Amino acid sequence: MTTLPGLQIRDAVTPTVLKRRFSRIRNEAEGCRRCELWEHATQTVFGEGPVPARLMLVGEQPGDHEDLEGHPFVGPAGRILAEGLELAGIDREAAFVTNVVKHFRWRPSPNGKRRLHGRPTRANVAACHHWIEQELALVRPEVLVAMGATAAEGLLGKGISVMRDRGRPIDSSLAATVLVTIHPSAILRARGDRDAMFDAFVGDLRAAARALSAA
């Protein structure tokens, strides 16, 4: 299993200093050219939320709405996430949300009228590794939740299976408690029982809530 190095070092800095450092890193990311995705994206979509934060939620990449608005999880998947957090008893505004890839990878629809989601490549995830490492170092979460296979692999390596490992603590130096779950967009794309998928997703978020309560 791979982990991001050096994230357990806790220097004695105040939240104000961490926020200032985060603002600087976010500004640097606005000009990121580490992979080709910036060429067709509207903008870099960096993480948002309290810095530091007890809970950090990490998804795959910004979608169409996020790319246009410049904020993470503001589209349909974001609404699923917000509803799940509410049912799990987690304050959405108290969580830091981000993605392992900061630019929208997309392809045009056959009629050219829509931008269709394209899964980021491993090269895209590797190129963005620097930014998620910086976010983790400044957010310093007690509970970290990777949502979807791309986020899980990007943070924890290839040995993690979302469906096998979801909802249970995973041994990692990234946070005191690390969990994986499905990405909210998987519920939107589901052809089967969406209610069951959503209920299981909420169950995973409740596991995160219990870890926060126990910390």
Side-chain angles (χ1 to χ4, degrees):
M1 179 182 298
T2 61
T3 58
L4 304 178
L7 296 179
Q8 295 305 304
I9 298 174
R10 297 292 187 259
D11 51 354
V13 297
T14 66
T16 299
V17 171
L18 290 175
K19 290 181 177 68
R20 189 179 302 121
R21 291 178 180 175
F22 178 80
S23 180
R24 184 177 68 249
I25 294 298
R26 181 179 58 196
N27 290 338
E28 290 176 6
E30 290 179 359
C32 183
R33 302 292 186 269
R34 290 172 177 262
C35 74
E36 79 287 353
L37 294 185
W38 71 272
E39 297 178 5
H40 302 290
T42 304
Q43 58 196 311
T44 301
V45 182
F46 213 60
E48 290 185 353
V51 178
R54 297 185 65 208
L55 173 64
M56 183 170 176
L57 302 157
V58 184
E60 179 189 80
Q61 67 165 351
D64 184 70
H65 289 80
E66 290 78 8
D67 175 70
L68 295 174
E69 297 184 34
H71 304 287
F73 287 95
V74 293
R79 290 192 289 272
I80 293 289
L81 175 60
E83 184 178 356
L85 289 171
E86 182 178 2
L87 290 172
I90 296 172
D91 181 1
R92 167 69 175 77
E93 298 303 315
F96 185 92
V97 294
T98 191
N99 292 289
V100 291
V101 172
K102 310 303 186 191
H103 285 116
F104 180 33
R105 186 171 193 259
W106 60 276
R107 65 186 187 280
S109 63
N111 60 14
K113 294 183 178 180
R114 293 188 301 132
R115 300 191 301 174
L116 303 178
H117 170 277
R119 184 173 180 175
T121 66
R122 287 180 178 173
N124 297 146
V125 175
C128 256
H129 187 87
H130 170 77
W131 302 121
I132 193 70
E133 181 180 28
Q134 296 297 316
E135 287 175 321
L136 277 162
L138 295 173
V139 175
R140 303 181 174 193
E142 297 171 26
V143 178
L144 173 66
V145 180
M147 299 184 294
T150 299
E153 182 175 323
L155 291 171
L156 301 165
K158 297 179 182 179
I160 297 298
S161 166
V162 169
M163 300 310 294
R164 182 193 66 212
D165 300 322
R166 64 184 302 176
R168 65 172 181 81
I170 294 170
D171 185 24
S172 171
S173 63
L174 299 184
T177 300
V178 177
L179 303 167
V180 298
T181 186
I182 61 173
H183 195 282
S185 63
I187 299 170
L188 295 172
R189 297 192 303 266
R191 296 182 179 180
D193 192 340
R194 290 187 180 184
D195 289 340
M197 288 186 68
F198 179 71
D199 289 345
F201 177 64
V202 173
D204 295 339
L205 295 177
R206 285 178 175 149
R210 289 193 296 272
L212 289 169
S213 296

PDB file of all heavy atoms in Angstrom, residues 69-95:
ATOM      1  N   GLU A  69     -18.357  26.467 -12.382  1.00  0.00           N
ATOM      2  CA  GLU A  69     -18.544  27.325 -11.212  1.00  0.00           C
ATOM      3  C   GLU A  69     -17.281  27.496 -10.376  1.00  0.00           C
ATOM      4  O   GLU A  69     -17.188  28.434  -9.574  1.00  0.00           O
ATOM      5  CB  GLU A  69     -19.672  26.774 -10.340  1.00  0.00           C
ATOM      6  CG  GLU A  69     -21.028  26.758 -11.044  1.00  0.00           C
ATOM      7  CD  GLU A  69     -22.157  26.291 -10.133  1.00  0.00           C
ATOM      8  OE1 GLU A  69     -22.086  26.581  -8.918  1.00  0.00           O
ATOM      9  OE2 GLU A  69     -23.087  25.640 -10.649  1.00  0.00           O
ATOM     10  N   GLY A  70     -16.333  26.571 -10.514  1.00  0.00           N
ATOM     11  CA  GLY A  70     -15.080  26.693  -9.777  1.00  0.00           C
ATOM     12  C   GLY A  70     -15.122  26.190  -8.345  1.00  0.00           C
ATOM     13  O   GLY A  70     -14.235  26.508  -7.552  1.00  0.00           O
ATOM     14  N   HIS A  71     -16.144  25.379  -8.003  1.00  0.00           N
ATOM     15  CA  HIS A  71     -16.274  24.855  -6.644  1.00  0.00           C
ATOM     16  C   HIS A  71     -16.530  23.356  -6.700  1.00  0.00           C
ATOM     17  O   HIS A  71     -17.251  22.884  -7.587  1.00  0.00           O
ATOM     18  CB  HIS A  71     -17.424  25.536  -5.908  1.00  0.00           C
ATOM     19  CG  HIS A  71     -17.313  27.020  -5.861  1.00  0.00           C
ATOM     20  ND1 HIS A  71     -16.402  27.675  -5.050  1.00  0.00           N
ATOM     21  CD2 HIS A  71     -17.997  27.995  -6.539  1.00  0.00           C
ATOM     22  CE1 HIS A  71     -16.533  28.975  -5.217  1.00  0.00           C
ATOM     23  NE2 HIS A  71     -17.481  29.197  -6.121  1.00  0.00           N
ATOM     24  N   PRO A  72     -15.984  22.582  -5.753  1.00  0.00           N
ATOM     25  CA  PRO A  72     -16.189  21.131  -5.772  1.00  0.00           C
ATOM     26  C   PRO A  72     -17.567  20.726  -5.287  1.00  0.00           C
ATOM     27  O   PRO A  72     -18.144  21.361  -4.397  1.00  0.00           O
ATOM     28  CB  PRO A  72     -15.102  20.615  -4.816  1.00  0.00           C
ATOM     29  CG  PRO A  72     -14.905  21.745  -3.852  1.00  0.00           C
ATOM     30  CD  PRO A  72     -15.097  23.003  -4.661  1.00  0.00           C
ATOM     31  N   PHE A  73     -18.126  19.691  -5.894  1.00  0.00           N
ATOM     32  CA  PHE A  73     -19.378  19.058  -5.476  1.00  0.00           C
ATOM     33  C   PHE A  73     -20.545  20.052  -5.391  1.00  0.00           C
ATOM     34  O   PHE A  73     -21.235  20.137  -4.383  1.00  0.00           O
ATOM     35  CB  PHE A  73     -19.185  18.322  -4.143  1.00  0.00           C
ATOM     36  CG  PHE A  73     -18.373  17.061  -4.290  1.00  0.00           C
ATOM     37  CD1 PHE A  73     -17.007  17.068  -4.055  1.00  0.00           C
ATOM     38  CD2 PHE A  73     -18.976  15.885  -4.691  1.00  0.00           C
ATOM     39  CE1 PHE A  73     -16.246  15.911  -4.211  1.00  0.00           C
ATOM     40  CE2 PHE A  73     -18.228  14.717  -4.858  1.00  0.00           C
ATOM     41  CZ  PHE A  73     -16.860  14.739  -4.624  1.00  0.00           C
ATOM     42  N   VAL A  74     -20.754  20.786  -6.480  1.00  0.00           N
ATOM     43  CA  VAL A  74     -21.891  21.703  -6.560  1.00  0.00           C
ATOM     44  C   VAL A  74     -22.918  21.240  -7.592  1.00  0.00           C
ATOM     45  O   VAL A  74     -23.945  21.888  -7.765  1.00  0.00           O
ATOM     46  CB  VAL A  74     -21.430  23.142  -6.896  1.00  0.00           C
ATOM     47  CG1 VAL A  74     -20.620  23.719  -5.752  1.00  0.00           C
ATOM     48  CG2 VAL A  74     -20.641  23.181  -8.203  1.00  0.00           C
ATOM     49  N   GLY A  75     -22.667  20.123  -8.276  1.00  0.00           N
ATOM     50  CA  GLY A  75     -23.594  19.585  -9.264  1.00  0.00           C
ATOM     51  C   GLY A  75     -24.463  18.494  -8.673  1.00  0.00           C
ATOM     52  O   GLY A  75     -24.640  18.393  -7.448  1.00  0.00           O
ATOM     53  N   PRO A  76     -25.036  17.638  -9.524  1.00  0.00           N
ATOM     54  CA  PRO A  76     -25.919  16.556  -9.055  1.00  0.00           C
ATOM     55  C   PRO A  76     -25.261  15.631  -8.033  1.00  0.00           C
ATOM     56  O   PRO A  76     -25.894  15.237  -7.049  1.00  0.00           O
ATOM     57  CB  PRO A  76     -26.272  15.815 -10.353  1.00  0.00           C
ATOM     58  CG  PRO A  76     -26.151  16.860 -11.423  1.00  0.00           C
ATOM     59  CD  PRO A  76     -25.002  17.721 -10.998  1.00  0.00           C
ATOM     60  N   ALA A  77     -23.995  15.253  -8.263  1.00  0.00           N
ATOM     61  CA  ALA A  77     -23.307  14.389  -7.290  1.00  0.00           C
ATOM     62  C   ALA A  77     -23.138  15.109  -5.959  1.00  0.00           C
ATOM     63  O   ALA A  77     -23.199  14.491  -4.890  1.00  0.00           O
ATOM     64  CB  ALA A  77     -21.954  13.944  -7.827  1.00  0.00           C
ATOM     65  N   GLY A  78     -22.941  16.408  -6.010  1.00  0.00           N
ATOM     66  CA  GLY A  78     -22.822  17.188  -4.791  1.00  0.00           C
ATOM     67  C   GLY A  78     -24.107  17.194  -3.991  1.00  0.00           C
ATOM     68  O   GLY A  78     -24.082  17.192  -2.746  1.00  0.00           O
ATOM     69  N   ARG A  79     -25.240  17.197  -4.686  1.00  0.00           N
ATOM     70  CA  ARG A  79     -26.516  17.154  -3.977  1.00  0.00           C
ATOM     71  C   ARG A  79     -26.719  15.803  -3.294  1.00  0.00           C
ATOM     72  O   ARG A  79     -27.251  15.730  -2.174  1.00  0.00           O
ATOM     73  CB  ARG A  79     -27.658  17.453  -4.944  1.00  0.00           C
ATOM     74  CG  ARG A  79     -27.671  18.911  -5.413  1.00  0.00           C
ATOM     75  CD  ARG A  79     -28.947  19.259  -6.124  1.00  0.00           C
ATOM     76  NE  ARG A  79     -29.047  18.633  -7.446  1.00  0.00           N
ATOM     77  CZ  ARG A  79     -28.565  19.175  -8.550  1.00  0.00           C
ATOM     78  NH1 ARG A  79     -27.915  20.333  -8.509  1.00  0.00           N
ATOM     79  NH2 ARG A  79     -28.703  18.562  -9.714  1.00  0.00           N
ATOM     80  N   ILE A  80     -26.297  14.725  -3.964  1.00  0.00           N
ATOM     81  CA  ILE A  80     -26.351  13.401  -3.336  1.00  0.00           C
ATOM     82  C   ILE A  80     -25.459  13.374  -2.095  1.00  0.00           C
ATOM     83  O   ILE A  80     -25.856  12.857  -1.033  1.00  0.00           O
ATOM     84  CB  ILE A  80     -25.907  12.317  -4.331  1.00  0.00           C
ATOM     85  CG1 ILE A  80     -26.903  12.187  -5.484  1.00  0.00           C
ATOM     86  CG2 ILE A  80     -25.725  10.970  -3.626  1.00  0.00           C
ATOM     87  CD1 ILE A  80     -28.221  11.570  -5.110  1.00  0.00           C
ATOM     88  N   LEU A  81     -24.274  13.931  -2.215  1.00  0.00           N
ATOM     89  CA  LEU A  81     -23.352  13.960  -1.077  1.00  0.00           C
ATOM     90  C   LEU A  81     -23.942  14.757   0.081  1.00  0.00           C
ATOM     91  O   LEU A  81     -23.895  14.315   1.235  1.00  0.00           O
ATOM     92  CB  LEU A  81     -22.015  14.559  -1.508  1.00  0.00           C
ATOM     93  CG  LEU A  81     -20.983  14.761  -0.390  1.00  0.00           C
ATOM     94  CD1 LEU A  81     -20.642  13.434   0.284  1.00  0.00           C
ATOM     95  CD2 LEU A  81     -19.729  15.439  -0.931  1.00  0.00           C
ATOM     96  N   ALA A  82     -24.501  15.924  -0.220  1.00  0.00           N
ATOM     97  CA  ALA A  82     -25.071  16.762   0.831  1.00  0.00           C
ATOM     98  C   ALA A  82     -26.206  16.046   1.560  1.00  0.00           C
ATOM     99  O   ALA A  82     -26.310  16.098   2.798  1.00  0.00           O
ATOM    100  CB  ALA A  82     -25.561  18.076   0.231  1.00  0.00           C
ATOM    101  N   GLU A  83     -27.052  15.349   0.801  1.00  0.00           N
ATOM    102  CA  GLU A  83     -28.155  14.617   1.414  1.00  0.00           C
ATOM    103  C   GLU A  83     -27.639  13.476   2.279  1.00  0.00           C
ATOM    104  O   GLU A  83     -28.141  13.230   3.379  1.00  0.00           O
ATOM    105  CB  GLU A  83     -29.097  14.091   0.337  1.00  0.00           C
ATOM    106  CG  GLU A  83     -30.327  13.392   0.894  1.00  0.00           C
ATOM    107  CD  GLU A  83     -31.286  12.911  -0.178  1.00  0.00           C
ATOM    108  OE1 GLU A  83     -31.044  13.191  -1.375  1.00  0.00           O
ATOM    109  OE2 GLU A  83     -32.275  12.232   0.174  1.00  0.00           O
ATOM    110  N   GLY A  84     -26.622  12.771   1.768  1.00  0.00           N
ATOM    111  CA  GLY A  84     -26.045  11.674   2.536  1.00  0.00           C
ATOM    112  C   GLY A  84     -25.416  12.152   3.830  1.00  0.00           C
ATOM    113  O   GLY A  84     -25.582  11.525   4.886  1.00  0.00           O
ATOM    114  N   LEU A  85     -24.698  13.259   3.767  1.00  0.00           N
ATOM    115  CA  LEU A  85     -24.082  13.802   4.975  1.00  0.00           C
ATOM    116  C   LEU A  85     -25.137  14.217   5.998  1.00  0.00           C
ATOM    117  O   LEU A  85     -24.989  13.974   7.199  1.00  0.00           O
ATOM    118  CB  LEU A  85     -23.205  15.002   4.608  1.00  0.00           C
ATOM    119  CG  LEU A  85     -21.915  14.683   3.845  1.00  0.00           C
ATOM    120  CD1 LEU A  85     -21.262  15.969   3.346  1.00  0.00           C
ATOM    121  CD2 LEU A  85     -20.942  13.895   4.710  1.00  0.00           C
ATOM    122  N   GLU A  86     -26.205  14.830   5.523  1.00  0.00           N
ATOM    123  CA  GLU A  86     -27.267  15.247   6.437  1.00  0.00           C
ATOM    124  C   GLU A  86     -27.882  14.046   7.148  1.00  0.00           C
ATOM    125  O   GLU A  86     -28.089  14.063   8.367  1.00  0.00           O
ATOM    126  CB  GLU A  86     -28.340  16.021   5.672  1.00  0.00           C
ATOM    127  CG  GLU A  86     -29.465  16.526   6.562  1.00  0.00           C
ATOM    128  CD  GLU A  86     -30.510  17.332   5.810  1.00  0.00           C
ATOM    129  OE1 GLU A  86     -30.377  17.468   4.565  1.00  0.00           O
ATOM    130  OE2 GLU A  86     -31.454  17.823   6.447  1.00  0.00           O
ATOM    131  N   LEU A  87     -28.165  12.991   6.398  1.00  0.00           N
ATOM    132  CA  LEU A  87     -28.758  11.797   6.999  1.00  0.00           C
ATOM    133  C   LEU A  87     -27.787  11.099   7.948  1.00  0.00           C
ATOM    134  O   LEU A  87     -28.211  10.433   8.896  1.00  0.00           O
ATOM    135  CB  LEU A  87     -29.215  10.834   5.907  1.00  0.00           C
ATOM    136  CG  LEU A  87     -30.423  11.293   5.084  1.00  0.00           C
ATOM    137  CD1 LEU A  87     -30.665  10.353   3.914  1.00  0.00           C
ATOM    138  CD2 LEU A  87     -31.672  11.380   5.966  1.00  0.00           C
ATOM    139  N   ALA A  88     -26.495  11.255   7.692  1.00  0.00           N
ATOM    140  CA  ALA A  88     -25.483  10.646   8.561  1.00  0.00           C
ATOM    141  C   ALA A  88     -25.195  11.507   9.788  1.00  0.00           C
ATOM    142  O   ALA A  88     -24.423  11.104  10.660  1.00  0.00           O
ATOM    143  CB  ALA A  88     -24.193  10.410   7.775  1.00  0.00           C
ATOM    144  N   GLY A  89     -25.801  12.681   9.850  1.00  0.00           N
ATOM    145  CA  GLY A  89     -25.583  13.551  10.993  1.00  0.00           C
ATOM    146  C   GLY A  89     -24.290  14.329  10.935  1.00  0.00           C
ATOM    147  O   GLY A  89     -23.741  14.722  11.973  1.00  0.00           O
ATOM    148  N   ILE A  90     -23.793  14.587   9.717  1.00  0.00           N
ATOM    149  CA  ILE A  90     -22.543  15.319   9.531  1.00  0.00           C
ATOM    150  C   ILE A  90     -22.843  16.693   8.942  1.00  0.00           C
ATOM    151  O   ILE A  90     -23.566  16.805   7.947  1.00  0.00           O
ATOM    152  CB  ILE A  90     -21.589  14.552   8.601  1.00  0.00           C
ATOM    153  CG1 ILE A  90     -21.185  13.221   9.236  1.00  0.00           C
ATOM    154  CG2 ILE A  90     -20.354  15.382   8.280  1.00  0.00           C
ATOM    155  CD1 ILE A  90     -20.387  12.312   8.312  1.00  0.00           C
ATOM    156  N   ASP A  91     -22.291  17.723   9.526  1.00  0.00           N
ATOM    157  CA  ASP A  91     -22.449  19.084   9.034  1.00  0.00           C
ATOM    158  C   ASP A  91     -21.604  19.259   7.779  1.00  0.00           C
ATOM    159  O   ASP A  91     -20.381  19.204   7.835  1.00  0.00           O
ATOM    160  CB  ASP A  91     -22.018  20.072  10.112  1.00  0.00           C
ATOM    161  CG  ASP A  91     -22.168  21.531   9.685  1.00  0.00           C
ATOM    162  OD1 ASP A  91     -22.629  21.794   8.555  1.00  0.00           O
ATOM    163  OD2 ASP A  91     -21.799  22.410  10.491  1.00  0.00           O
ATOM    164  N   ARG A  92     -22.262  19.454   6.645  1.00  0.00           N
ATOM    165  CA  ARG A  92     -21.552  19.611   5.371  1.00  0.00           C
ATOM    166  C   ARG A  92     -20.556  20.761   5.419  1.00  0.00           C
ATOM    167  O   ARG A  92     -19.458  20.672   4.858  1.00  0.00           O
ATOM    168  CB  ARG A  92     -22.586  19.827   4.254  1.00  0.00           C
ATOM    169  CG  ARG A  92     -22.033  20.312   2.922  1.00  0.00           C
ATOM    170  CD  ARG A  92     -21.208  19.256   2.230  1.00  0.00           C
ATOM    171  NE  ARG A  92     -20.791  19.713   0.929  1.00  0.00           N
ATOM    172  CZ  ARG A  92     -19.792  20.584   0.703  1.00  0.00           C
ATOM    173  NH1 ARG A  92     -19.116  21.080   1.721  1.00  0.00           N
ATOM    174  NH2 ARG A  92     -19.467  20.931  -0.523  1.00  0.00           N
ATOM    175  N   GLU A  93     -20.906  21.830   6.104  1.00  0.00           N
ATOM    176  CA  GLU A  93     -20.030  23.002   6.153  1.00  0.00           C
ATOM    177  C   GLU A  93     -18.794  22.773   7.022  1.00  0.00           C
ATOM    178  O   GLU A  93     -17.836  23.544   6.939  1.00  0.00           O
ATOM    179  CB  GLU A  93     -20.806  24.218   6.667  1.00  0.00           C
ATOM    180  CG  GLU A  93     -21.963  24.629   5.773  1.00  0.00           C
ATOM    181  CD  GLU A  93     -21.529  24.921   4.348  1.00  0.00           C
ATOM    182  OE1 GLU A  93     -20.498  25.619   4.188  1.00  0.00           O
ATOM    183  OE2 GLU A  93     -22.194  24.456   3.414  1.00  0.00           O
ATOM    184  N   ALA A  94     -18.805  21.731   7.833  1.00  0.00           N
ATOM    185  CA  ALA A  94     -17.665  21.435   8.693  1.00  0.00           C
ATOM    186  C   ALA A  94     -16.663  20.496   8.021  1.00  0.00           C
ATOM    187  O   ALA A  94     -15.601  20.227   8.571  1.00  0.00           O
ATOM    188  CB  ALA A  94     -18.142  20.820  10.005  1.00  0.00           C
ATOM    189  N   ALA A  95     -16.997  20.006   6.831  1.00  0.00           N
ATOM    190  CA  ALA A  95     -16.132  19.058   6.117  1.00  0.00           C
ATOM    191  C   ALA A  95     -15.364  19.774   5.014  1.00  0.00           C
ATOM    192  O   ALA A  95     -15.879  20.691   4.365  1.00  0.00           O
ATOM    193  CB  ALA A  95     -16.962  17.935   5.525  1.00  0.00           C
TER     194      ALA A  95
END
